[in-house]
Amino acid sequence: MMFIISKYLITAFIVVFVSEVAKRSDKIGALISSLPLVTILVMIWLYIENQSIEKIANHALYTFWYVIPSLPMFLVIPYLISENYSFLASLFIGIIISLICFVIVTYIAKYFGVYLIF
């Protein structure tokens, strides 16, 4: 139980830390948040919890395939905001575009022998 609480506290600390840094510096906040901190933490937690190396490797591979469709969102949101869309509308549209890209990448990944959700 203490281990799970520690995982929550460490993970929450990182999220709060990055958001506080981003308040002070857009560029440094973006740099830190672009690092695969969550993925690294998940792989560390899996390793500590004695999960197989194959499971950890699969996590890294699937993360690669899931990062690709999320990238357009980071171009769409600032563009829409600069076009005077509200933040929430821009975020919603960015998420919808990412979901569409996830479906497309899922079908593309099959050609590489990687079976994601579908």
Side-chain angles (χ1 to χ4, degrees):
M1 183 65 164
M2 194 60 187
F3 181 65
I4 290 176
I5 292 170
S6 297
K7 284 172 39 175
Y8 279 121
L9 291 174
I10 291 169
T11 305
F13 171 81
I14 290 174
V15 171
V16 171
F17 173 75
V18 172
S19 69
E20 290 300 313
V21 170
K23 284 182 196 177
R24 290 162 181 76
S25 171
D26 298 338
K27 292 177 183 176
I28 295 174
L31 172 65
I32 295 170
S33 66
S34 71
L35 299 172
L37 297 173
V38 172
T39 302
I40 291 168
L41 276 176
V42 168
M43 290 190 296
I44 290 170
W45 299 143
L46 289 171
Y47 180 77
I48 289 171
E49 294 170 348
N50 296 315
Q51 295 296 314
S52 71
I53 296 300
E54 181 181 352
K55 184 171 211 61
I56 296 169
N58 284 339
H59 178 77
L61 177 66
Y62 293 137
T63 299
F64 167 79
W65 284 101
Y66 287 129
V67 164
I68 294 169
S70 69
L71 294 177
M73 178 180 72
F74 297 106
L75 295 174
V76 169
I77 292 173
Y79 172 76
L80 292 175
I81 289 172
S82 72
E83 294 293 317
N84 295 319
Y85 282 75
S86 72
F87 167 73
L88 291 178
S90 301
L91 183 62
F92 179 75
I93 293 168
I95 290 169
I96 296 301
I97 289 172
S98 285
L99 291 174
I100 292 166
C101 290
F102 278 119
V103 172
I104 293 167
V105 166
T106 297
Y107 288 108
I108 292 171
K110 285 182 184 178
Y111 291 107
F112 293 95
V114 177
Y115 296 90
L116 301 171
I117 293 176
F118 306 114

